[in-house]
């Protein structure tokens, strides 16, 4: 199978996009098609061979009369312009229609044939594209039931009222209502397009922290160039207030970086020569000379934007429900409108009012408010997550996070820093300073991770020249002579092999025992330090009702101590990577309770793939993490799992609020239409396009909400 992603635009509404999506899914060569109207993306999985863009356009043309623009998807989210030739033409049509309608209504007698002519001209000017769409689908034998058919029926219904139920006063006055309906519909379409345009562009902008230009440095002179033209190993200069254009390494200078656009953390990060400077970070102090490490399209922010833009490939449950719902909703309301007219007319004897009420119900019926607000809610939720340093790779994963009931966690690199640190020394019959001196002398020549941890921030040169007779036995220990004293450092069995008996230390961690001239002088304790956010993660997830299980390759006593200290529910220790996956599958015993696995995205890749929700820690630099995980946490903060869970709930709740509120408003206005005599059509239009705009705004503001943690828990 072949997967392709395209940029797509030109639809009048989300419902139109949904119909094209359904049509593509019935193509014999297409396994799966998905149109993300909120992000202007088309996803296609082909069964046999890939279609060219022209072939895709021809397919779409069979069901959609608009000129749909389809292009290859690029490594960036393009801003869509609202004010274009098409918009200006529609604005001109609205103005002309309004003038003609005003003259016909207030400057000419309503019984004058000139009034009828002006109404007809104004209706044709403002509605010709709508009528064309309906006729196009009818003549091409496509399902014509959509909002354009409903508006057309409303206008035709006005003619029926005039022709079949003429009134003595103001014979052509109903045409005013018909013209007003189609005029307000077109104005509503403009406002709807503007609101949805601003929403999707604002979401993209919120996570697009790229700099368009960079200051290229050739060793002597500087030149302003486009960031996308930078090449690997180029030198660039970044000054205070500027954004790092591409992923780079600091060559010269020191400064503090605002990394909040990537990680969601607002504590500035100090960088110096040798440190990485990721694209999207803003320099808050200092001046840096950087060497480019990745091209513009491969840099961190570009990857984030691509992931956010591509997150719409997989629908959330609410979106799937709405897709099926919209398919039956509009025809059902159309049938209800016909029944209303057929029943109301004979019962009341007022056929004129019966047709009027039926036409109002037809206008109310458009499902756009529901169809567009749900995917936009999820798109905004994914944007909010990215602003908080969390990349969620699909709307469906937001749904999974809502139902998260168990988190299975790796330890090293996830809950701990993944590096040994000298935790304490316990000297016997010797001062602490002397103990450390001999310990440093013993470890100064070793490349073992334990030795490196002991020598961290210690100048080895002070000891190296004084060491003699150095001998290291891998995995056991070291012997040497330092200041004419024989030193032995290593594990308990190693000292025992030199006839030095030592009682095993009770502390949990890695122990290095030390002897001088065959006399035991104490031990050093090394441990993998817990991250400061490990405890908040456990507390917050327990508060949210999520069980936590630890899977680790560490010894039983280390795993037990870690879990007791943090309050983790259960653990399994001394596991190999493939054993972790087996234990994970054992934890996934209830299909109704979603299980997430969180790890560093490298050796934990099998478990990340197998879990319901795979979460990778430590940023987007690891291709393994990005490719295999469903959620990527951009920094090393495990407490972000709670934030992702919270954002998922906020998004799901907003999406369903939009659905329920829209249906409630449409139901209320429909009832009012039946009960109230001569309800103005403008109310029906407001229940359609006005409600759509309101729901777009409601969905969009998720992007600006705060993700708050309960203060009494953290």
């Amino acid at each position: 199978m072949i997967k392709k992603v395209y940029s797509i635009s030109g639809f009048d509404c989300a419902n139109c996009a949904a119909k094209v999506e359904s049509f593509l899914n019935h193509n014999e060569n297409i396994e799966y098609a998905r149109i993300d109207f909120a992000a202007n993306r088309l996803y296609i999985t082909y069964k046999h061979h890939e279609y060219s863009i022209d072939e895709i356009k021809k397919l779409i043309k069979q069901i959609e009369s608009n000129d749909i623009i389809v292009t290859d998807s690029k490594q960036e989210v393009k801003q869509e312009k609202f004010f274009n030739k098409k918009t200006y033409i529609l604005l001109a049509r609205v103005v002309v229609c309004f003038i003609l309608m005003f003259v016909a209504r207030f400057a000419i007698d309503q019984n004058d044939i000139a009034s009828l002519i002006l109404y007809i001209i104004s209706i044709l000017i403002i509605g010709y594209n709508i009528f064309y769409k309906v006729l196009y689908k009818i003549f091409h034998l496509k399902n014509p039931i959509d909002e354009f058919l409903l508006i057309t029926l409303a206008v035709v219904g006005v003619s029926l009222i005039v022709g079949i139920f003429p009134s003595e006063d103001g014979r052509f006055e109903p045409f005013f209502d018909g013209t007003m309906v189609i005029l307000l519909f077109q104005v509503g379409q403009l406002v709807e397009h503007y609101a949805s345009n601003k929403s999707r562009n604002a979401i993209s902008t919120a996570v697009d922290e790229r700099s368009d230009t960079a200051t290229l440095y050739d060793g002597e002179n500087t030149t302003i160039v486009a960031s996308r033209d930078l090449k690997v190993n180029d030198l660039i200069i970044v000054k205070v207030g500027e954004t790092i254009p591409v992923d780079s390494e600091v060559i010269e200078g020191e400064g503090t970086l605002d990394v909040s656009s990537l990680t969601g953390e607002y504590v500035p990060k100090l960088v110096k020569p040798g440190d990485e400077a990721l694209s999207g970070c803003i320099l808050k102090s200092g001046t840096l000379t950087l060497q480019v490490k990745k091209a513009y399209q491969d840099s961190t922010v570009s990857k984030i934007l691509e992931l956010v833009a591509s997150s719409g490939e997989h629908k959330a449950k609410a979106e799937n429900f709405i897709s099926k719902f919209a398919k039956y909703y509009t025809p059902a309301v159309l049938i209800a409108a016909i029944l209303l007219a057929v029943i109301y007319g004979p019962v009341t004897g007022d056929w004129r009012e019966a047709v009027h009420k039926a036409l109002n119900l037809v206008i109310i019926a458009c499902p756009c408010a529901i169809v567009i607000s749900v995917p936009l809610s999820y798109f905004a939720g994914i944007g909010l997550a990215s602003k908080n340093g969390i990349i969620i790779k699909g709307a469906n994963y937001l749904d999974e996070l809502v139902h998260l009931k168990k988190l299975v966690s790796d330890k090293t690199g996830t809950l701990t820093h993944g590096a040994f640190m000298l935790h304490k020394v316990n000297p016997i019959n010797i001062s602490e300073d002397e103990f450390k001196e001999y310990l440093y002398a013993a470890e100064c020549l070793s490349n073992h991770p334990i030795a490196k941890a002991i020598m961290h921030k210690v100048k080895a040169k002070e000891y190296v020249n004084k060491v003699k007779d150095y001998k290291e036995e891998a995995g056991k220990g070291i012997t040497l002579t330092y200041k004419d004293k024989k030193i032995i450092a290593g594990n308990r069995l190693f000292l025992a092999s030199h006839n030095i008996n030592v009682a095993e230390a009770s502390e949990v961690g890695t122990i290095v025992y030390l002897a001088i001239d065959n006399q035991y002088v104490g031990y050093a304790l090394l441990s993998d330090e817990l991250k400061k956010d490990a405890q908040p993660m456990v507390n917050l997830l327990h508060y949210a009702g999520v069980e936590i299980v630890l899977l680790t390759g560490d010894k039983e006593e280390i795993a037990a101590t870690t879990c007791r200290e943090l309050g983790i529910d259960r653990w399994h220790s001394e596991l190999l990577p493939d054993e972790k996956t087996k234990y994970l599958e054992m934890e996934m015993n209830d299909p109704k309770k979603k299980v997430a696995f969180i790890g560093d995205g490298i050796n934990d890749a099998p478990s990340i793939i197998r879990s319901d929700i795979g979460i990778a820690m430590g940023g987007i630099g690891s291709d393994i993490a990005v490719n295999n995980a469903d959620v990527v946490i951009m920094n090393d903060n495990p407490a972000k799992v709670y934030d992702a869970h919270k954002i998922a709930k906020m998004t799901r709740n907003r999406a369903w609020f939009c659905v329920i509120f829209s249906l409630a408003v449409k139901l209320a206005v429909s009832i009012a239409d039946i009960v109230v005599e001569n309800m103005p059509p403008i109310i029906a239009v407001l229940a359609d396009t006005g409600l759509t705009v309101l729901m777009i705004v409601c969905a969009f503001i998720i992007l600006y909400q705060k993700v708050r943690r309960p203060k009494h828990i953290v």
Side-chain angles (χ1 to χ4, degrees), residues 245-249 277-279 291-294 298-301:
V246 292
D247 291 359
S248 310
E249 180 183 330
L278 297 179
S279 59
Q291 185 176 42
V292 175
K293 291 301 179 184
K294 289 185 180 180
D298 297 325
S299 288
T300 299
V301 173

Side-chain angles (χ1 to χ4, degrees), residues 611-627:
S611 61
D612 295 321
I613 313 159
I615 305 175
M617 292 282 290
I620 207 163
S622 167
D623 289 335
I624 295 177
V626 174
N627 292 335

Side-chain angles (χ1 to χ4, degrees), residues 353-494:
E353 181 63 15
V355 174
H356 178 81
K357 289 182 179 298
L359 294 178
N360 277 343
L361 187 59
V362 159
I363 298 168
I364 296 166
C366 178
C368 274
I370 305 168
V371 174
I372 191 174
S373 62
V374 173
L376 189 57
S377 294
Y378 280 91
F379 191 35
I382 289 170
L384 175 62
S386 66
K387 284 176 64 178
N388 284 272
I390 306 164
I391 305 301
I392 299 174
K393 293 167 64 176
N396 56 323
Y397 300 125
L398 281 169
D399 271 348
E400 301 286 281
L401 282 165
V402 168
H403 300 290
L404 178 63
K405 293 299 179 185
K406 187 183 294 183
L407 177 70
V408 178
S409 177
D410 175 47
K411 183 180 82 72
T412 305
T414 303
L415 301 180
T416 66
H417 288 286
F420 283 115
M421 298 185 69
L422 184 58
H423 187 67
K424 64 176 283 190
V425 294
N426 185 30
I428 298 174
N429 299 323
I430 188 175
S431 70
E432 183 174 318
D433 289 340
E434 282 184 288
F435 180 91
K436 286 183 177 179
E437 180 183 356
Y438 289 112
L439 178 66
Y440 295 153
E443 305 291 351
C444 67
L445 291 174
S446 176
N447 288 317
H448 193 279
I450 293 176
K452 288 183 176 181
I454 291 173
M455 297 303 295
H456 182 60
K457 295 184 178 180
V458 177
K459 294 181 179 179
K461 291 180 181 180
E462 296 180 7
Y463 305 94
V464 169
N465 294 332
K466 300 175 184 178
V467 172
K468 298 178 183 179
D469 305 323
Y470 179 86
K471 183 180 179 181
E472 180 175 354
E473 293 187 34
K476 296 180 180 180
I478 298 167
T479 59
L480 68 148
T481 301
Y482 176 77
K483 289 185 177 181
D484 297 326
K485 294 182 181 292
K486 182 181 179 182
I487 299 174
I488 303 172
N491 60 35
R492 188 170 62 88
L493 294 176
F494 184 68

Side-chain angles (χ1 to χ4, degrees), residues 641-655:
V641 176
Y642 173 82
D643 295 342
H645 178 63
K646 182 77 176 288
I647 290 169
K649 281 192 170 183
M650 291 164 55
T651 303
R652 190 273 312 266
N653 292 344
R654 183 61 54 85

